[in-house]
Amino acid sequence: HGGAAGLARAVASKPMRIAKGGRGFASGDKDMSVSPDAMREAFKGVPVEPDADGFRAVAPSSWSTATRSGTYDVHGVQVAIYRWEGQIYAIDAACSHEDGRLGESEVGEGGVIACPYHDWRFELATGRCLTDERRPVGCWAVKEAGGNIWIGSKTSEGATERGGAHD
């Protein structure tokens, strides 16, 4: 488990900023002035053990806002978390084009995110790729309970093929 040491390592690994062990913090946070102490304080109440359904808590619910996405290590896989129109969504953090960091994207009109590398576009609710329909990203079960965001198992698989045209 990463705990405070994992959080400290993640703080030092900007720009992606991922915390390990099922806990994490926002990679898309526009306010880069969040101190490591403030992050440790925010995440110290996040449960470490999975719940009865196998979901893992990754962050306090208050940490995910309409303007703050996040990338978290869950079950050994990086997952990007977004809040859009009051709902939480979880998708694979790597773009199906060239593994761009989807957790650094902002949610646009219609719940669509664009990869910051080459602007490939994806629907949050389905993982469908609008740039190349053969290249979706995987989606994950997600819930909010007890003041935390919890990630479960994958609900759809993403494409394994990489490469392709640039927009």
Side-chain angles (χ1 to χ4, degrees):
H1 179 263
L7 189 56
R9 282 191 302 277
V11 170
S13 68
K14 290 179 189 173
M16 191 162 187
R17 302 189 326 171
I18 298 172
K20 302 290 183 187
R23 296 183 185 211
F25 54 91
S27 60
D29 187 3
K30 303 304 180 239
D31 178 8
M32 301 302 276
S33 66
V34 178
S35 74
D37 288 339
M39 284 186 267
R40 272 195 280 303
E41 183 65 28
F43 283 82
K44 75 178 182 181
V46 175
V48 175
E49 297 300 320
D51 72 4
D53 298 320
F55 281 68
R56 291 212 170 262
V58 295
S61 292
S62 62
W63 199 254
S64 178
T65 67
T67 59
R68 184 188 293 164
S69 59
T71 299
Y72 304 89
D73 186 81
V74 181
H75 308 295
V77 178
Q78 293 177 2
V79 178
I81 308 295
Y82 298 88
R83 185 180 299 274
W84 179 64
E85 293 189 343
Q87 187 106 0
I88 296 284
Y89 296 89
I91 62 171
D92 290 341
C95 177
S96 58
H97 175 229
E98 291 185 354
D99 293 324
R101 299 172 175 170
L102 294 180
E104 295 179 3
S105 304
E106 294 182 11
V107 182
E109 187 174 323
V112 173
I113 60 164
C115 177
Y117 286 14
H118 301 111
D119 206 34
W120 277 39
R121 298 183 181 286
F122 302 89
E123 289 180 346
L124 279 181
T126 64
R128 183 172 78 108
C129 180
L130 303 177
T131 306
D132 181 343
E133 294 219 7
R134 300 168 299 152
R135 306 283 281 281
V137 292
C139 293
W140 295 78
V142 62
K143 65 183 178 181
E144 286 188 89
N148 293 299
I149 299 169
W150 298 76
I151 305 299
S153 59
K154 231 175 190 185
T155 59
S156 67
E157 292 296 324
T160 56
E161 179 184 349
R162 294 295 189 261
H166 298 151
D167 285 348

